[in-house]
Amino acid sequence: VAEVPAECVIGVDLGGTKAIAGAVDASLAVHYRGRREVPTSDLEALLETLTELVEEVREAVGGEVEGVGFGIPCLIDQDRGLAASSVHLPINGVAFADVMAERVGLPVFMDNDGNLALLAEQRAGAAHGERNAVMLTLGTGIAGGIVIGGELYRGSQGAAGEFGHMIVWADGPACGPGCRSRGCLETLVSGTALSREALALASRSPASRLGQALAAGREVSGPLVTELAFDGDGDALALLEELGTWLGIGLVNVVNIFNPDVVVIGGGVIAAGELILAPARRVLAERALAFPAEHVRVEAAHFGAESGMLGAALFARERLGERVRA
Ligand SMILES: [Zn+2]
């Protein structure tokens, strides 16, 4: 059993395939971590998995938590408290926070996962103190967040910041279910895209290290590509170079539109670090308008793959504070 912390909240980052949760105190120290693969087609099974995850974290810190924050991969209708539209999960039209509050018996707050990842980075991470920042979280898809003038910008309906569905290749690959377009940034720059390209390479080049890994029954996906690239494998380096180049194309658009102080790149794919950031910065320097391009920093998320979980906890803590004051 973990040390019993004072005044923990639980932050849950719900992704397109898995959820990570942590018991987080007021200084953002994480006292317990849990994770689950999540069912992606059955709503009841998804809610049950999330309930179990919250209960596991709660019990691990002795039961005393004040509330739960969820970052969910979904456009959110904050006025009506509904999960409005998700590309990856069967939660459309669900009053997600209310349903989860009923199940876990705690106050529950929700926001878009990309917003909450940036909240953590802007409060205490790579965008700390910056007035204008954007973040792209590269996972199953791409989550996005925008801070303007020090505040999260959510758009008229809470649907802003969907950088993953910025079209960067008009006739590119078809996007996922829930998106009607093709050539969206996330079809080229995401863990899913990296896995797809790695599998294609492994299949057509059985003698390559990726091909050998496939033959040996290993899972050919982003983490393996990153591992091989750090080991100097040319094919893996080329895959990450290509992903980073496409990321740079997306960032050209983002920087020309927002003129941010900093662009933060997070999510599982950022484990590759400079192997994707260096080509992205190069494209940005070559193709973005020079004035904003010379100003902006492009940084890996300070909290790595935990930005979303920490942001969800911060969000819950801030909302609980508002309740007390109100
Ligand atoms: Zn799309």
Side-chain angles (χ1 to χ4, degrees):
V1 175
E3 172 196 349
V4 177
E7 298 187 351
C8 265
V9 295
I10 295 174
V12 184
D13 182 15
L14 175 56
T17 55
K18 60 180 179 285
I20 64 174
V24 182
D25 71 18
S27 64
L28 287 185
V30 182
H31 293 262
Y32 181 83
R33 291 170 169 83
R35 62 184 292 145
R36 290 281 194 290
E37 300 290 317
V38 294
T40 55
S41 55
D42 179 344
L43 174 63
E44 177 55 32
L46 171 65
L47 295 173
E48 188 53 35
T49 298
L50 294 173
T51 303
E52 288 170 9
L53 178 58
V54 168
E55 291 302 335
E56 175 193 323
V57 174
R58 187 182 191 176
E59 283 169 23
V61 294
E64 292 299 313
V65 300
E66 301 190 343
V68 186
F70 277 92
I72 65 177
C74 187
L75 305 184
I76 291 175
D77 183 338
Q78 288 284 7
D79 292 340
R80 294 191 293 160
L82 298 179
S85 170
S86 177
V87 174
H88 301 287
L89 295 174
I91 52 179
N92 294 353
V94 175
F96 182 85
D98 291 344
V99 169
M100 287 307 300
E102 178 113 335
R103 283 175 172 251
V104 300
L106 289 165
V108 171
F109 308 91
M110 67 169 175
D111 200 349
N112 174 267
D113 56 347
N115 288 348
L116 296 184
L118 180 52
L119 183 69
E121 293 292 330
Q122 200 265 345
R123 292 284 197 274
H128 185 215
E130 299 288 15
R131 302 288 296 160
N132 301 300
V134 297
M135 181 166 178
L136 285 74
T137 300
L138 314 180
T140 307
I142 296 179
I146 303 167
V147 161
I148 295 177
E151 298 291 333
L152 279 175
Y153 174 78
R154 295 185 169 84
S156 293
Q157 302 168 286
E162 288 295 323
F163 297 123
H165 299 284
M166 168 172 45
I167 299 168
V168 292
W169 180 6
D171 301 316
C175 198
C179 177
R180 298 172 295 182
S181 193
R182 50 196 320 121
C184 296
L185 188 65
E186 75 176 36
T187 68
L188 300 155
V189 182
S190 62
T192 308
L194 187 56
S195 297
R196 181 193 66 218
E197 295 301 315
L199 260 177
L201 193 149
S203 301
R204 71 175 177 265
S205 305
S208 66
R209 288 187 66 185
L210 283 164
Q212 291 167 15
L214 182 64
R218 289 194 66 182
E219 185 186 356
V220 175
S221 62
L224 177 63
V225 175
T226 300
E227 177 191 321
L228 292 177
F230 280 126
D231 202 30
D233 179 59
D235 292 322
L237 285 165
L239 288 175
L240 292 174
E241 167 94 17
E242 173 154 11
L243 184 146
T245 301
W246 280 113
L247 175 61
I249 297 289
L251 296 190
V252 169
N253 296 319
V254 167
V255 167
N256 285 345
I257 292 167
F258 288 98
N259 185 202
D261 301 306
V262 60
V263 175
V264 182
I265 308 298
V269 178
I270 198 57
E274 290 301 310
L275 297 179
I276 62 171
L277 290 181
R281 288 196 196 97
R282 189 186 66 239
V283 173
L284 192 62
E286 288 169 357
R287 296 184 62 169
L289 296 170
F291 187 59
E294 285 162 9
H295 173 75
V296 71
R297 293 185 291 123
V298 177
E299 306 277 354
H302 175 74
F303 296 114
E306 293 200 328
S307 310
M309 182 265 281
L310 291 169
L314 266 170
F315 183 67
R317 185 174 297 286
E318 292 183 4
R319 285 291 168 94
L320 285 163
E322 287 166 14
R323 276 192 175 181
V324 171
R325 282 197 297 274

